[in-house]
Amino acid sequence: MQNNIHVVQIRSENGAVIAAQVKGEKLQLLSASLYDLALLAANEGRALSDVVEASATDEALDYNDMIEAGRLLSPITHPDPAHLLLTGTGLTHLGSAAPRHKMHGKEGEKSNSEEDITDTQRIFEWGVESGKPAGGGPGVQPEWFYKGTGHTLRAPYQDIQMPAFALDGGEEAELAGVYIVNAQGQVFRIGYALSNEFSDHVTEKQNYLYLAHSKLRDASIGPEIVIGKLPEEVRGKVSIHRNGSVVWQHDFASGEQHMCHSIENLEHHHFKYATFRVPGQLHVHFFGAAVLSFADAVKLQDGDEMRIECDLMTKPLINRIKVMPDESVGVTAL
């Protein structure tokens, strides 16, 4: 089986977005952005790995130098960020229900009967029962949320901005699938990325119907997209650093071995909607987190560094929190 290919994107000296294949500590530049290469592969029915190999140039740059120079971009971007959609699913991992059930239930509440079970626990149990249907085909649909567009997708090592009106901000370490829609409306998976699906858990805790509000925050993926097969198990570590010290850390596990939904089922229930099969669209679809610093009563602060690493990637995903000043927002009649 062919080894997975790791791809990043950089800003060239003339301002162009250029993809590069990771070769150890070197980046072998490709001839175009990952969006252009993926769209070419999808429209021509070619394997993306073949297109990447064919587009390789003779120029190589130092990976760490690109990070230090601030030239590393999100591993996928769209020429028009409005056509890059960020969405996700929750309650997909076998360890994800407990913190969410505690968040959405009453303080000290015990679920001893069907009447006491929260909607969170109920949806999780549906996933356990029918999220991986035998023999293939669609299973039960998962929890789903909209997160934003490419305008709020932050590059690795870039600040994640927390709006002044937010009640909180917390990391969510997880995997994401990255997809493109070709000219005929057919969906293709580009690959997988490590992600920080940053959310406002205090807002969500007020009432689970505020989940939609809590998700409309920045996110980050990368530094790399892995083109190839996702292992059954992916193991990693997420940590919070403040003033040079680790204030919280936790191991996490993902991949279908640790999920109550199959990736295929999550993909089906997202792309069954025609609005997500518009030619030229890009999608970053978050697969769900199992551990949260919020669940351990950690409150993140301005300047905190969120670090996520896993055995699937060659470098960690690092972002800092930047609390934004208050701004006046109003609507003007035309």
Side-chain angles (χ1 to χ4, degrees):
M1 184 174 64
Q2 184 176 355
N3 291 331
N4 288 341
I5 292 175
H6 294 238
V7 176
V8 302
Q9 288 194 135
I10 67 163
R11 179 79 66 185
S12 72
E13 291 182 348
N14 66 4
V17 177
I18 300 294
Q21 184 176 350
V22 178
K23 301 278 191 176
E25 292 300 318
K26 294 293 183 180
L27 300 177
Q28 183 178 26
L29 296 189
L30 307 180
S31 61
S33 69
L34 184 54
Y35 173 79
D36 288 339
L37 296 175
L39 192 59
L40 174 67
N43 283 334
E44 295 188 355
R46 299 165 60 189
L48 180 54
S49 58
D50 292 341
V51 171
V52 167
E53 295 291 348
S55 68
T57 71
D58 294 331
E59 186 177 359
L61 299 172
D62 186 271
Y63 200 163
N64 291 318
D65 285 351
M66 292 297 98
I67 294 172
E68 290 295 324
R71 289 174 57 186
L72 199 67
L73 302 174
S74 172
I76 193 71
T77 50
H78 195 291
D80 181 353
H83 295 291
L84 195 171
L85 302 182
L86 308 178
T87 56
T89 60
L91 302 171
T92 54
H93 284 64
L94 296 174
S96 63
R100 290 284 299 283
H101 176 67
K102 181 179 179 181
M103 194 187 306
H104 296 163
K106 295 178 181 178
E107 200 69 34
E109 180 185 76
K110 293 184 178 179
S111 297
N112 296 321
S113 68
E114 176 63 25
E115 290 74 18
D116 291 332
I117 294 176
T118 63
D119 288 337
T120 294
Q121 187 68 22
R122 186 172 290 112
I123 289 180
F124 172 74
E125 291 176 357
W126 289 346
V128 172
E129 294 167 2
S130 306
K132 293 180 177 179
V140 67
Q141 62 186 3
E143 177 192 40
W144 181 96
F145 58 85
Y146 171 75
K147 191 160 180 69
T149 68
H151 292 287
T152 54
L153 183 63
R154 303 302 171 197
Y157 307 98
Q158 188 179 26
D159 290 341
I160 281 182
Q161 298 178 359
M162 189 169 84
F165 62 77
L167 301 181
D168 192 32
E171 89 301 326
E172 293 205 17
E174 54 198 272
L175 296 176
V178 183
Y179 307 86
I180 194 165
V181 185
N182 76 355
Q184 287 72 46
Q186 184 177 355
V187 182
F188 291 84
R189 186 192 309 112
I190 293 173
Y192 302 95
L194 192 58
S195 68
N196 184 348
E197 193 269 292
F198 188 77
S199 301
D200 183 342
H201 301 108
V202 171
T203 292
E204 180 184 353
K205 184 176 174 61
Q206 287 183 320
N207 188 301
Y208 75 95
L209 295 178
Y210 280 164
L211 174 71
H213 288 279
S214 75
K215 293 298 185 182
L216 292 173
R217 302 292 186 269
D218 284 357
S220 183
I221 66 171
E224 305 154 8
I225 287 176
V226 174
I227 300 168
K229 184 175 176 58
L230 183 69
E232 283 290 310
E233 180 181 56
V234 176
R235 289 198 169 271
K237 182 173 71 175
V238 53
S239 55
I240 306 299
H241 302 249
R242 182 177 299 156
N243 299 323
S245 299
V246 176
V247 297
W248 178 87
Q249 62 181 354
H250 206 296
D251 294 335
F252 71 92
S254 191
E256 289 195 357
Q257 180 176 324
H258 298 277
M259 298 173 68
C260 55
H261 286 266
S262 66
I263 301 296
E264 181 182 6
N265 193 51
L266 301 183
E267 292 171 341
H268 167 79
H269 286 294
H270 178 66
F271 290 108
K272 67 184 181 184
Y273 298 103
T275 191
F276 298 144
R277 302 194 305 272
V278 176
Q281 276 181 340
L282 281 177
H283 293 261
V284 173
H285 196 52
F286 300 96
F287 291 156
V291 299
L292 307 170
S293 64
F294 177 79
D296 291 333
V298 176
K299 184 174 179 60
L300 273 60
Q301 301 176 7
D302 184 63
D304 282 355
E305 179 182 278
M306 301 167 286
R307 177 186 292 259
I308 305 170
E309 50 197 306
C310 74
D311 54 12
L312 184 63
M313 304 294 171
T314 70
K315 289 193 181 294
L317 174 62
I318 298 175
N319 301 92
R320 286 187 174 86
I321 293 178
K322 182 177 182 180
V323 178
M324 303 302 291
D326 197 7
E327 59 178 340
S328 177
V329 178
V331 176
T332 302
L334 292 174

